[in-house]
Amino acid sequence: QVQLVQSGAEVKKPGASVKVSCKASGYTLTSLYMHWVRQAPGQGLEWMGIINPSDGSTNYAPKFRGRVTMTRDTSTSTVYMELNSLTFEDTAVFYCARDSEGCVDVWGNGTTVTVSS
Amino acid sequence: DVVLTQSPLSLPVTLGQPASISCKSSRSLVHSDGRIYLNWFQQRPGQSPRRLIYKVSNRDSGVPDRFSGSGSGTDFTLKISRVEAEDVGVYYCMQGTQWLPRTFGQGTKLEIK
């Protein structure tokens, strides 16, 4: 079955960077786009951006542009999301989510990032 | 950007009673291909979101038939015919008609009275 397994929780200091991975199984990574979504504690879902694993092209939400980089490694069926210049407001759960025919369908298990001094 | 406005934001429901959540879009979600890319997700406490409904009214595999979606244009509704304890959580609508950026509704928290 289709699964998206994300890397474990991270604790970072303000100003640092974090890189979260999302390993896909049960389908061909390069056949479908992948989104990244942020969820701050007690808050809703916020779309961060999208990557086309086939060619590595990306599109980021204006709020994160300049601070986020999404990449992929097709040899390991893994996509990555790196967020730089972390602030306390970046404390959140980050999800990868697959796009199928214009609709998000499968979600990863989430990665908690805590920004703390 | 397409803005999705959900109501209510909080929904206390008695077990066995129906529930209804509205999602209104700031513009028509009818794509140039004629389809409507409006989806509904359930997020139980401490879990990742799970898709329930795609393209307005198509139920995902394994989703109980007490969940249904309807709507057209700018107004959409998720209905639960008889609420069960396992339905507690937050429900989100999300659009994919405007390819980018994707947008979510604010979420509706369903709780048992």
Side-chain angles (χ1 to χ4, degrees):
Chain A
Q1 76 282 21
V2 174
Q3 272 194 300
L4 301 176
V5 179
Q6 298 185 222
S7 48
E10 302 261 14
V11 179
K12 296 291 182 181
K13 293 194 182 304
S17 298
V18 69
K19 191 170 186 177
V20 178
S21 68
C22 168
K23 184 173 176 60
S25 61
Y27 77 103
T28 303
L29 178 72
T30 53
S31 65
L32 296 170
Y33 288 76
M34 193 77 78
H35 301 270
W36 286 91
V37 175
R38 182 174 81 170
Q39 186 171 40
Q43 302 300 307
L45 303 170
E46 182 176 29
W47 183 80
M48 298 179 68
I50 189 171
I51 181 169
N52 180 351
S54 178
D55 62 8
S57 60
T58 56
N59 195 294
Y60 305 132
K63 180 174 184 176
F64 298 98
R65 209 168 286 152
R67 213 161 61 91
V68 69
T69 304
M70 297 175 188
T71 56
R72 93 291 192 213
D73 181 344
T74 56
S75 69
T76 60
S77 294
T78 303
V79 295
Y80 299 91
M81 187 281 298
E82 184 170 22
L83 191 61
N84 304 317
S85 303
L86 292 170
T87 70
F88 297 120
E89 287 67 41
D90 291 314
T91 292
V93 178
F94 292 83
Y95 294 101
C96 56
R98 190 181 76 162
D99 191 286
S100 178
E101 299 182 358
C103 300
V104 168
D105 60 353
V106 179
W107 293 71
N109 55 307
T111 297
T112 299
V113 175
T114 302
V115 182
S116 173
S117 54
Chain B
D1 298 355
V2 174
V3 176
L4 298 179
T5 303
Q6 289 184 227
S7 62
L9 299 184
S10 177
L11 184 56
V13 185
T14 300
L15 285 173
Q17 292 301 301
S20 181
I21 300 170
S22 169
C23 176
K24 293 186 187 296
S25 174
S26 60
R27 67 174 84 143
S28 173
L29 293 184
V30 180
H31 193 273
S32 56
D33 65 8
R35 297 185 178 96
I36 299 176
Y37 296 90
L38 187 285
N39 311 301
W40 289 95
F41 298 90
Q42 174 196 60
Q43 187 175 32
R44 290 172 171 152
Q47 295 187 12
S48 300
R50 163 202 182 197
R51 195 176 70 180
L52 300 174
I53 303 285
Y54 62 97
K55 294 178 190 172
V56 181
S57 59
N58 297 278
R59 213 168 23 246
D60 273 280
S61 176
V63 174
D65 61 8
R66 63 179 182 275
F67 289 92
S68 64
S70 63
S72 63
T74 60
D75 289 0
F76 303 91
T77 303
L78 175 71
K79 290 183 178 175
I80 309 173
S81 58
R82 295 171 307 279
V83 169
E84 298 188 6
E86 65 178 17
D87 299 336
V88 165
V90 182
Y91 292 80
Y92 297 92
C93 56
M94 179 191 188
Q95 68 81 28
T97 295
Q98 179 181 25
W99 177 248
L100 296 176
R102 300 297 177 93
T103 49
F104 294 93
Q106 318 98 297
T108 294
K109 186 173 184 179
L110 186 149
E111 62 179 23
I112 305 300
K113 264 188 207 172

Coordinates of all heavy atoms in Angstrom, one line a residue, chain A residues 12-102:
Chain A
K12 N 15.6 22.5 17.2 CA 16.5 23.5 16.6 C 16.5 24.8 17.4 O 15.5 25.2 18.0 CB 16.2 23.7 15.2 CG 16.3 22.5 14.3 CD 17.7 22.0 14.1 CE 17.8 20.8 13.2 NZ 19.2 20.3 13.1
K13 N 17.7 25.5 17.3 CA 17.8 26.8 17.9 C 17.3 27.9 16.8 O 17.4 27.6 15.6 CB 19.2 27.1 18.3 CG 19.6 26.2 19.5 CD 20.9 26.7 20.1 CE 21.4 25.9 21.2 NZ 20.3 25.7 22.3
P14 N 16.9 29.0 17.3 CA 16.5 30.1 16.4 C 17.7 30.4 15.5 O 18.8 30.5 15.9 CB 16.2 31.2 17.3 CG 15.8 30.6 18.6 CD 16.6 29.4 18.7
G15 N 17.3 30.6 14.2 CA 18.4 30.9 13.2 C 18.9 29.7 12.5 O 19.6 29.9 11.4
A16 N 18.7 28.5 13.0 CA 19.2 27.3 12.4 C 18.3 26.9 11.3 O 17.3 27.5 10.9 CB 19.3 26.2 13.5
S17 N 18.7 25.8 10.6 CA 18.0 25.2 9.5 C 17.5 23.8 9.9 O 18.2 23.1 10.8 CB 18.8 25.1 8.3 OG 19.2 26.3 7.8
V18 N 16.5 23.3 9.3 CA 16.0 21.9 9.5 C 15.7 21.3 8.2 O 15.3 22.0 7.2 CB 14.8 21.9 10.4 CG1 13.6 22.4 9.7 CG2 14.5 20.4 10.9
K19 N 16.1 20.0 8.0 CA 15.8 19.3 6.8 C 14.9 18.1 7.1 O 15.4 17.2 7.9 CB 17.1 18.9 6.1 CG 16.8 18.4 4.6 CD 18.2 18.3 3.9 CE 18.0 17.9 2.4 NZ 19.3 17.8 1.7
V20 N 13.8 18.0 6.6 CA 12.8 16.9 6.9 C 12.7 16.0 5.6 O 12.6 16.5 4.5 CB 11.4 17.5 7.2 CG1 10.4 16.3 7.5 CG2 11.5 18.4 8.4
S21 N 12.7 14.7 5.8 CA 12.6 13.8 4.7 C 11.3 13.1 4.7 O 10.6 13.0 5.7 CB 13.7 12.8 4.7 OG 13.6 11.9 5.8
C22 N 10.9 12.6 3.5 CA 9.6 11.9 3.3 C 9.9 10.8 2.3 O 10.1 11.1 1.1 CB 8.6 12.9 2.8 SG 7.0 12.3 2.2
K23 N 9.9 9.6 2.8 CA 10.2 8.4 1.9 C 8.9 7.8 1.4 O 8.0 7.4 2.2 CB 11.0 7.4 2.6 CG 11.5 6.3 1.8 CD 12.5 5.4 2.5 CE 12.8 4.1 1.6 NZ 13.4 4.5 0.3
A24 N 8.8 7.7 0.1 CA 7.6 7.1 -0.5 C 7.7 5.7 -0.8 O 8.8 5.3 -1.3 CB 7.2 7.9 -1.7
S25 N 6.7 4.9 -0.6 CA 6.7 3.5 -1.0 C 5.3 3.1 -1.5 O 4.3 3.8 -1.2 CB 7.1 2.6 0.2 OG 6.2 2.7 1.2
G26 N 5.3 2.0 -2.3 CA 4.0 1.6 -2.8 C 3.6 2.2 -4.1 O 2.5 1.8 -4.7
Y27 N 4.4 3.1 -4.6 CA 4.1 3.7 -5.9 C 5.4 4.3 -6.4 O 6.4 4.4 -5.7 CB 3.0 4.8 -5.8 CG 3.4 6.1 -5.3 CD1 3.6 7.2 -6.1 CD2 3.6 6.3 -3.9 CE1 4.0 8.4 -5.6 CE2 4.0 7.5 -3.4 CZ 4.2 8.6 -4.2 OH 4.6 9.8 -3.7
T28 N 5.4 4.8 -7.7 CA 6.6 5.4 -8.2 C 6.6 6.9 -7.9 O 5.7 7.7 -8.3 CB 6.6 5.2 -9.8 OG1 6.5 3.8 -10.1 CG2 7.8 5.8 -10.4
L29 N 7.6 7.3 -7.1 CA 7.7 8.7 -6.7 C 7.6 9.7 -7.8 O 6.9 10.7 -7.6 CB 9.1 8.9 -5.9 CG 9.3 10.3 -5.4 CD1 8.4 10.7 -4.2 CD2 10.8 10.6 -5.1
T30 N 8.2 9.4 -8.9 CA 8.3 10.4 -10.0 C 7.0 10.6 -10.8 O 6.9 11.4 -11.6 CB 9.4 10.0 -11.0 OG1 9.2 8.7 -11.4 CG2 10.8 10.2 -10.4
S31 N 6.0 9.8 -10.4 CA 4.7 9.8 -11.2 C 3.7 10.9 -10.6 O 2.8 11.2 -11.3 CB 4.0 8.4 -11.2 OG 3.6 8.1 -9.9
L32 N 4.0 11.3 -9.4 CA 3.0 12.3 -8.8 C 3.7 13.4 -8.0 O 4.8 13.2 -7.5 CB 2.1 11.5 -7.8 CG 1.2 10.4 -8.5 CD1 0.5 9.6 -7.4 CD2 0.1 11.1 -9.4
Y33 N 3.1 14.6 -8.0 CA 3.6 15.7 -7.2 C 3.5 15.4 -5.7 O 2.7 14.6 -5.3 CB 2.8 17.0 -7.6 CG 3.1 17.5 -8.9 CD1 2.5 17.0 -10.1 CD2 3.8 18.7 -9.1 CE1 2.7 17.5 -11.3 CE2 4.0 19.3 -10.3 CZ 3.5 18.7 -11.5 OH 3.6 19.2 -12.7
M34 N 4.3 16.2 -5.0 CA 4.3 16.1 -3.5 C 4.2 17.5 -2.9 O 4.9 18.4 -3.3 CB 5.6 15.4 -3.0 CG 5.4 15.0 -1.5 SD 4.5 13.5 -1.3 CE 5.7 12.3 -1.8
H35 N 3.3 17.7 -2.0 CA 3.2 18.9 -1.2 C 3.8 18.8 0.1 O 4.1 17.8 0.7 CB 1.7 19.2 -1.0 CG 0.8 19.3 -2.2 ND1 0.6 20.5 -2.9 CD2 0.1 18.4 -2.8 CE1 -0.2 20.3 -3.9 NE2 -0.5 19.0 -3.9
W36 N 4.1 20.0 0.7 CA 4.5 20.1 2.1 C 3.5 21.1 2.8 O 3.2 22.1 2.2 CB 5.9 20.6 2.2 CG 6.9 19.6 1.9 CD1 7.5 19.3 0.7 CD2 7.5 18.6 2.8 NE1 8.4 18.2 0.8 CE2 8.4 17.8 2.0 CE3 7.3 18.3 4.1 CZ2 9.1 16.7 2.6 CZ3 8.0 17.2 4.7 CH2 8.9 16.5 3.9
V37 N 3.1 20.7 4.0 CA 2.1 21.5 4.7 C 2.6 21.6 6.2 O 3.1 20.7 6.7 CB 0.8 20.7 4.7 CG1 -0.3 21.4 5.6 CG2 0.2 20.5 3.3
R38 N 2.4 22.8 6.7 CA 2.8 23.1 8.1 C 1.6 23.3 8.9 O 0.5 23.8 8.5 CB 3.6 24.4 8.1 CG 4.1 24.8 9.5 CD 5.0 26.0 9.4 NE 4.3 27.3 9.4 CZ 4.9 28.5 9.6 NH1 6.2 28.5 9.8 NH2 4.1 29.6 9.5
Q39 N 1.7 22.8 10.2 CA 0.6 22.9 11.1 C 1.2 23.3 12.5 O 1.8 22.5 13.2 CB -0.2 21.6 11.3 CG -1.4 21.8 12.2 CD -2.3 20.6 12.1 OE1 -1.9 19.4 12.1 NE2 -3.6 20.8 12.1
A40 N 1.0 24.6 12.8 CA 1.5 25.1 14.1 C 0.6 24.5 15.2 O -0.5 24.1 15.0 CB 1.4 26.6 14.1
P41 N 1.1 24.5 16.5 CA 0.3 23.9 17.6 C -1.1 24.5 17.7 O -1.2 25.7 17.8 CB 1.2 24.2 18.8 CG 2.6 24.3 18.2 CD 2.4 24.9 16.9
G42 N -2.1 23.6 17.6 CA -3.5 24.1 17.8 C -4.0 24.9 16.6 O -5.1 25.4 16.7
Q43 N -3.3 24.9 15.5 CA -3.7 25.7 14.4 C -4.1 24.8 13.2 O -4.0 23.6 13.3 CB -2.6 26.6 14.0 CG -2.1 27.6 15.1 CD -3.3 28.5 15.5 OE1 -3.9 29.2 14.8 NE2 -3.5 28.5 16.8
G44 N -4.5 25.5 12.1 CA -4.9 24.8 10.9 C -3.8 24.4 10.0 O -2.6 24.5 10.4
L45 N -4.1 23.9 8.8 CA -3.2 23.4 7.8 C -2.8 24.6 6.9 O -3.6 25.3 6.4 CB -3.8 22.3 7.0 CG -4.3 21.1 7.9 CD1 -5.1 20.2 7.0 CD2 -3.1 20.4 8.5
E46 N -1.5 24.7 6.7 CA -0.9 25.8 5.9 C -0.1 25.2 4.8 O 0.9 24.5 5.0 CB -0.1 26.7 6.8 CG 0.5 27.9 6.1 CD 1.2 28.8 7.0 OE1 1.7 28.4 8.1 OE2 1.3 30.0 6.8
W47 N -0.4 25.5 3.5 CA 0.3 25.0 2.4 C 1.6 25.7 2.2 O 1.7 26.9 2.2 CB -0.6 25.1 1.1 CG 0.0 24.5 -0.1 CD1 0.1 23.2 -0.5 CD2 0.7 25.3 -1.2 NE1 0.7 23.1 -1.7 CE2 1.1 24.3 -2.1 CE3 1.0 26.6 -1.4 CZ2 1.8 24.7 -3.3 CZ3 1.7 27.0 -2.5 CH2 2.1 26.0 -3.5
M48 N 2.7 25.0 2.1 CA 4.0 25.6 2.0 C 4.6 25.5 0.5 O 5.3 26.5 0.1 CB 5.1 24.8 2.8 CG 4.8 24.8 4.3 SD 6.0 23.8 5.2 CE 7.5 24.9 5.0
G49 N 4.3 24.5 -0.2 CA 4.8 24.4 -1.6 C 4.7 23.0 -2.1 O 4.1 22.1 -1.5
I50 N 5.2 22.9 -3.3 CA 5.0 21.6 -4.1 C 6.3 21.3 -4.9 O 7.0 22.2 -5.3 CB 3.8 21.7 -5.0 CG1 3.4 20.4 -5.6 CG2 4.0 22.8 -6.1 CD1 2.1 20.4 -6.4
I51 N 6.6 20.0 -5.0 CA 7.7 19.6 -5.9 C 7.2 18.6 -6.9 O 6.4 17.7 -6.5 CB 8.9 19.1 -5.0 CG1 10.0 18.7 -5.9 CG2 8.4 17.9 -4.1 CD1 11.3 18.4 -5.2
N52 N 7.7 18.7 -8.1 CA 7.5 17.6 -9.1 C 8.7 16.7 -9.0 O 9.8 17.1 -9.5 CB 7.4 18.3 -10.4 CG 7.1 17.2 -11.5 OD1 7.2 16.0 -11.3 ND2 6.8 17.7 -12.7
P53 N 8.5 15.5 -8.4 CA 9.7 14.6 -8.3 C 10.3 14.2 -9.6 O 11.4 13.7 -9.6 CB 9.1 13.5 -7.5 CG 7.9 14.0 -6.8 CD 7.3 15.0 -7.7
S54 N 9.5 14.3 -10.7 CA 10.0 13.9 -12.0 C 11.2 14.7 -12.5 O 12.2 14.2 -12.9 CB 8.9 13.9 -13.0 OG 9.3 13.5 -14.3
D55 N 11.0 16.0 -12.3 CA 12.1 16.9 -12.8 C 12.7 17.8 -11.7 O 13.6 18.6 -12.0 CB 11.6 17.8 -14.0 CG 10.5 18.7 -13.6 OD1 10.1 18.8 -12.4 OD2 9.9 19.3 -14.5
G56 N 12.2 17.7 -10.5 CA 12.7 18.5 -9.4 C 12.1 20.0 -9.4 O 12.5 20.7 -8.5
S57 N 11.2 20.3 -10.3 CA 10.7 21.7 -10.3 C 9.9 21.9 -9.1 O 9.3 21.0 -8.5 CB 9.9 22.0 -11.6 OG 8.8 21.1 -11.6
T58 N 9.9 23.2 -8.6 CA 9.2 23.5 -7.3 C 8.4 24.8 -7.5 O 8.6 25.6 -8.4 CB 10.2 23.7 -6.2 OG1 11.2 24.7 -6.6 CG2 10.9 22.4 -5.9
N59 N 7.5 25.0 -6.6 CA 6.7 26.2 -6.4 C 6.4 26.4 -5.0 O 5.9 25.5 -4.3 CB 5.4 26.2 -7.3 CG 4.8 27.5 -7.4 OD1 4.4 28.1 -6.5 ND2 4.8 28.0 -8.7
Y60 N 6.8 27.6 -4.4 CA 6.6 27.8 -3.0 C 5.6 28.9 -2.7 O 5.4 29.8 -3.5 CB 8.0 28.2 -2.4 CG 9.1 27.3 -2.7 CD1 10.3 27.7 -3.2 CD2 9.0 25.9 -2.5 CE1 11.4 26.9 -3.4 CE2 10.0 25.0 -2.7 CZ 11.2 25.5 -3.2 OH 12.2 24.6 -3.4
A61 N 4.9 28.7 -1.6 CA 4.0 29.8 -1.1 C 4.8 31.0 -0.8 O 6.0 31.0 -0.3 CB 3.3 29.3 0.2
P62 N 4.3 32.2 -1.2 CA 5.1 33.5 -1.0 C 5.6 33.6 0.5 O 6.7 34.1 0.6 CB 4.0 34.5 -1.3 CG 3.1 33.9 -2.2 CD 3.0 32.4 -1.8
K63 N 4.8 33.1 1.4 CA 5.2 33.3 2.8 C 6.6 32.6 3.1 O 7.3 33.0 4.0 CB 4.1 32.7 3.7 CG 4.4 32.8 5.2 CD 3.2 32.3 6.0 CE 3.4 32.5 7.5 NZ 2.2 32.1 8.3
F64 N 6.9 31.5 2.4 CA 8.1 30.7 2.7 C 9.1 30.9 1.6 O 10.3 30.4 1.8 CB 7.7 29.2 2.7 CG 6.7 28.9 3.9 CD1 5.4 28.8 3.6 CD2 7.2 28.8 5.2 CE1 4.5 28.5 4.6 CE2 6.3 28.5 6.2 CZ 4.9 28.4 5.9
R65 N 8.8 31.6 0.5 CA 9.8 31.8 -0.6 C 11.0 32.4 -0.1 O 11.0 33.4 0.7 CB 9.1 32.6 -1.7 CG 9.6 32.2 -3.1 CD 8.8 32.9 -4.1 NE 7.5 32.1 -4.2 CZ 6.3 32.7 -4.7 NH1 6.3 34.0 -4.9 NH2 5.2 32.0 -4.8
G66 N 12.2 31.9 -0.4 CA 13.4 32.5 0.0 C 14.0 31.8 1.3 O 15.1 31.9 1.7
R67 N 13.1 31.0 1.9 CA 13.5 30.3 3.2 C 13.4 28.8 3.1 O 13.9 28.1 3.9 CB 12.6 30.9 4.3 CG 13.3 31.0 5.6 CD 12.6 31.9 6.6 NE 11.2 31.5 6.9 CZ 10.8 30.8 7.9 NH1 11.8 30.3 8.7 NH2 9.6 30.5 8.2
V68 N 12.6 28.3 2.1 CA 12.4 26.9 2.0 C 13.0 26.4 0.7 O 13.0 27.1 -0.3 CB 10.8 26.6 2.0 CG1 10.1 27.1 0.8 CG2 10.6 25.1 2.2
T69 N 13.4 25.2 0.7 CA 13.9 24.5 -0.4 C 13.4 23.0 -0.4 O 13.6 22.3 0.6 CB 15.5 24.4 -0.5 OG1 16.0 25.8 -0.4 CG2 16.0 23.8 -1.8
M70 N 12.8 22.6 -1.5 CA 12.3 21.3 -1.6 C 13.1 20.6 -2.7 O 13.3 21.1 -3.8 CB 10.8 21.3 -2.0 CG 9.9 21.9 -0.9 SD 8.2 22.0 -1.3 CE 7.6 23.0 0.1
T71 N 13.5 19.4 -2.4 CA 14.4 18.6 -3.3 C 13.9 17.1 -3.3 O 13.0 16.8 -2.5 CB 15.9 18.7 -2.9 OG1 16.0 18.2 -1.5 CG2 16.4 20.1 -3.0
R72 N 14.5 16.4 -4.2 CA 14.1 14.9 -4.2 C 15.4 14.1 -4.6 O 16.3 14.6 -5.2 CB 13.0 14.6 -5.1 CG 13.3 14.2 -6.6 CD 13.8 15.3 -7.4 NE 13.9 15.0 -8.8 CZ 14.8 15.4 -9.6 NH1 15.8 16.2 -9.2 NH2 14.7 15.1 -10.9
D73 N 15.3 12.8 -4.1 CA 16.3 11.8 -4.5 C 15.6 10.7 -5.1 O 15.0 9.9 -4.3 CB 17.2 11.5 -3.3 CG 18.2 10.5 -3.6 OD1 18.2 9.8 -4.7 OD2 19.2 10.3 -2.8
T74 N 15.5 10.6 -6.4 CA 14.7 9.5 -7.0 C 15.3 8.1 -6.7 O 14.6 7.1 -6.7 CB 14.6 9.7 -8.5 OG1 15.9 9.8 -9.1 CG2 13.9 11.0 -8.8
S75 N 16.6 8.0 -6.4 CA 17.2 6.7 -6.2 C 16.7 6.1 -4.9 O 16.7 4.9 -4.7 CB 18.7 6.8 -6.2 OG 19.2 7.6 -5.0
T76 N 16.3 6.9 -4.0 CA 15.7 6.4 -2.7 C 14.3 6.7 -2.5 O 13.7 6.5 -1.4 CB 16.5 7.0 -1.5 OG1 16.4 8.5 -1.6 CG2 18.0 6.7 -1.6
S77 N 13.6 7.3 -3.5 CA 12.2 7.6 -3.5 C 11.9 8.6 -2.3 O 10.9 8.4 -1.6 CB 11.3 6.4 -3.4 OG 11.4 5.6 -4.6
T78 N 12.7 9.5 -2.1 CA 12.6 10.4 -1.0 C 12.5 11.9 -1.4 O 13.3 12.3 -2.3 CB 13.8 10.2 0.0 OG1 13.8 8.9 0.4 CG2 13.6 11.1 1.2
V79 N 11.6 12.6 -0.8 CA 11.6 14.1 -1.0 C 12.0 14.7 0.3 O 11.9 14.2 1.4 CB 10.2 14.6 -1.5 CG1 9.9 14.1 -2.9 CG2 9.2 14.2 -0.5
Y80 N 12.6 15.9 0.2 CA 13.1 16.7 1.3 C 12.5 18.1 1.3 O 12.3 18.7 0.3 CB 14.6 16.8 1.3 CG 15.3 15.4 1.3 CD1 15.6 14.8 0.1 CD2 15.7 14.8 2.5 CE1 16.3 13.5 0.1 CE2 16.4 13.6 2.5 CZ 16.6 13.0 1.3 OH 17.3 11.8 1.3
M81 N 12.4 18.6 2.5 CA 12.0 20.0 2.7 C 13.0 20.6 3.7 O 13.1 20.1 4.9 CB 10.6 20.1 3.3 CG 10.0 21.5 3.3 SD 10.5 22.4 4.8 CE 9.9 21.4 6.1
E82 N 13.7 21.6 3.3 CA 14.6 22.3 4.2 C 14.1 23.7 4.4 O 13.8 24.4 3.5 CB 16.0 22.4 3.6 CG 17.0 23.0 4.5 CD 18.5 22.8 4.0 OE1 18.7 22.6 2.8 OE2 19.4 22.9 4.8
L83 N 14.0 24.1 5.7 CA 13.6 25.4 6.1 C 14.7 26.1 6.9 O 15.2 25.6 7.8 CB 12.3 25.3 7.0 CG 11.6 26.6 7.2 CD1 11.1 27.3 6.0 CD2 10.4 26.3 8.2
N84 N 15.0 27.3 6.4 CA 16.2 28.0 7.0 C 15.7 29.2 7.9 O 14.5 29.5 7.9 CB 17.0 28.6 5.9 CG 17.5 27.6 4.9 OD1 17.9 26.5 5.3 ND2 17.4 27.9 3.6
S85 N 16.6 29.7 8.6 CA 16.4 30.9 9.5 C 15.2 30.7 10.4 O 14.2 31.5 10.4 CB 16.2 32.2 8.6 OG 17.3 32.4 7.7
L86 N 15.2 29.6 11.1 CA 14.1 29.2 11.9 C 13.8 30.2 13.0 O 14.7 30.8 13.6 CB 14.3 27.8 12.5 CG 14.3 26.6 11.5 CD1 14.8 25.4 12.3 CD2 12.9 26.4 10.9
T87 N 12.5 30.5 13.3 CA 12.1 31.3 14.4 C 11.2 30.5 15.3 O 10.8 29.4 14.9 CB 11.3 32.6 13.9 OG1 10.1 32.2 13.4 CG2 12.1 33.3 12.8
F88 N 10.8 31.0 16.4 CA 9.9 30.3 17.3 C 8.6 30.0 16.6 O 8.0 28.9 16.9 CB 9.7 31.1 18.6 CG 10.9 31.4 19.4 CD1 11.3 32.7 19.7 CD2 11.6 30.3 19.9 CE1 12.5 32.9 20.4 CE2 12.8 30.5 20.7 CZ 13.2 31.8 21.0
E89 N 8.2 30.8 15.7 CA 6.9 30.6 15.0 C 6.9 29.4 14.0 O 5.9 29.0 13.5 CB 6.5 31.9 14.2 CG 6.0 33.1 15.0 CD 7.1 33.6 15.9 OE1 8.3 33.8 15.4 OE2 6.9 34.0 17.1
D90 N 8.1 28.9 13.8 CA 8.3 27.7 13.0 C 8.1 26.4 13.7 O 8.1 25.3 13.2 CB 9.6 27.7 12.3 CG 9.8 28.8 11.2 OD1 8.8 28.9 10.4 OD2 10.8 29.4 11.2
T91 N 7.9 26.5 15.0 CA 7.5 25.3 15.8 C 6.2 24.8 15.3 O 5.2 25.4 15.4 CB 7.4 25.7 17.3 OG1 8.7 26.0 17.8 CG2 6.9 24.5 18.1
A92 N 6.2 23.5 14.8 CA 5.1 23.0 14.1 C 5.3 21.6 13.7 O 6.4 21.0 13.9 CB 4.8 23.8 12.8
V93 N 4.2 20.9 13.3 CA 4.3 19.6 12.6 C 4.3 19.9 11.1 O 3.5 20.6 10.6 CB 3.2 18.7 13.0 CG1 3.3 17.4 12.2 CG2 3.1 18.5 14.5
F94 N 5.3 19.3 10.4 CA 5.4 19.4 9.0 C 5.0 18.1 8.3 O 5.4 17.0 8.7 CB 6.8 19.8 8.6 CG 7.2 21.2 9.0 CD1 7.6 21.4 10.3 CD2 7.1 22.2 8.2 CE1 7.9 22.7 10.8 CE2 7.4 23.5 8.6 CZ 7.8 23.7 9.9
Y95 N 4.1 18.2 7.3 CA 3.6 17.0 6.6 C 4.0 17.0 5.1 O 3.9 18.1 4.5 CB 2.1 16.9 6.7 CG 1.5 16.7 8.0 CD1 0.9 17.8 8.7 CD2 1.4 15.4 8.6 CE1 0.3 17.6 10.0 CE2 0.8 15.2 9.8 CZ 0.3 16.3 10.5 OH -0.3 16.1 11.7
C96 N 4.4 15.9 4.6 CA 4.4 15.7 3.1 C 3.0 15.1 2.8 O 2.4 14.4 3.6 CB 5.5 14.9 2.7 SG 5.6 13.2 3.4
A97 N 2.5 15.4 1.6 CA 1.2 14.9 1.1 C 1.3 14.7 -0.4 O 1.6 15.7 -1.1 CB 0.1 15.8 1.6
R98 N 0.9 13.6 -0.8 CA 0.9 13.3 -2.3 C -0.3 13.9 -3.0 O -1.4 14.0 -2.4 CB 0.9 11.7 -2.4 CG 1.1 11.3 -3.8 CD 1.1 9.8 -3.9 NE -0.3 9.3 -3.9 CZ -0.7 8.1 -4.4 NH1 0.3 7.3 -4.8 NH2 -1.9 7.7 -4.3
D99 N 0.0 14.3 -4.2 CA -1.1 14.9 -5.1 C -1.4 13.9 -6.2 O -0.6 13.4 -6.9 CB -0.6 16.2 -5.7 CG -1.8 16.9 -6.4 OD1 -2.2 16.5 -7.4 OD2 -2.2 17.9 -5.8
S100 N -2.7 13.5 -6.2 CA -3.1 12.6 -7.3 C -4.3 13.3 -8.1 O -5.3 13.5 -7.5 CB -3.6 11.3 -6.7 OG -4.1 10.4 -7.7
E101 N -4.1 13.6 -9.3 CA -5.1 14.1 -10.2 C -5.7 15.4 -9.6 O -6.9 15.6 -9.6 CB -6.2 13.1 -10.4 CG -5.8 11.9 -11.1 CD -6.9 10.9 -11.4 OE1 -8.1 11.2 -11.0 OE2 -6.6 9.9 -12.0
G102 N -4.8 16.3 -9.1 CA -5.2 17.6 -8.6 C -5.8 17.5 -7.2 O -6.2 18.6 -6.6

